[in-house]
Amino acid sequence: MYYTAPCESPLGNLTFAGDGESLIGLWIDGQKYDRDILKGKDIVQEELPVFAGVRSWLERYFAGEKPEISELPLRVTGSSFRKEVWKILCQIPYGQVITYPELFTAVP
């Protein structure tokens, strides 16, 4: 079972999804693939501690701070390749970019 919660942001309205302990998704409402992994199996539950933590992290981020991605309780799903890609993406420092060829060569 998945839980969701709405959140307003400078980017527009967001929706968080979680399993009760971890964040499993975050979407800008109306974007392509909006909440696609949920397949309608979610319950709106705004007051979960995980969502409070995500809101706090985003508030700090949008205030110009640089909170660590490791502060978010992320649960990445999918193939081992996809998990490795996410691990690399989470290591990119603020203000830096990585190209697709660099990402490809970094994946074991």
Side-chain angles (χ1 to χ4, degrees):
M1 174 170 318
Y2 299 122
Y3 303 98
T4 57
C7 179
E8 292 182 19
S9 84
L11 300 175
N13 293 324
L14 307 176
T15 297
F16 305 146
D19 61 7
E21 295 182 14
S22 301
L23 182 70
I24 63 162
L26 187 151
W27 299 270
I28 299 172
D29 291 359
Q31 78 177 57
K32 188 174 183 177
Y33 308 116
D34 185 2
R35 295 169 251 196
D36 63 336
I37 65 170
L38 302 177
K39 298 178 177 61
K41 298 177 181 175
D42 60 302
I43 297 171
V44 176
Q45 181 71 21
E46 297 181 33
E47 303 306 321
L48 291 176
V50 64
F51 294 152
V54 173
R55 282 188 186 93
S56 173
W57 192 97
L58 286 171
E59 287 170 4
R60 291 172 32 224
Y61 176 81
F62 288 125
E65 296 179 32
K66 295 180 179 178
E68 295 293 326
I69 194 75
S70 61
E71 295 174 38
L72 292 171
L74 302 176
R75 183 174 63 101
V76 178
T77 60
S79 67
S80 58
F81 175 80
R82 184 176 184 183
K83 290 176 183 178
E84 287 297 323
V85 168
W86 271 108
K87 186 186 306 182
I88 293 164
L89 292 175
C90 288
Q91 295 171 356
I92 300 171
Y94 279 97
Q96 295 187 19
V97 296
I98 186 171
T99 65
Y100 282 114
E102 291 169 330
L103 177 61
F104 179 75
T105 58
V107 176

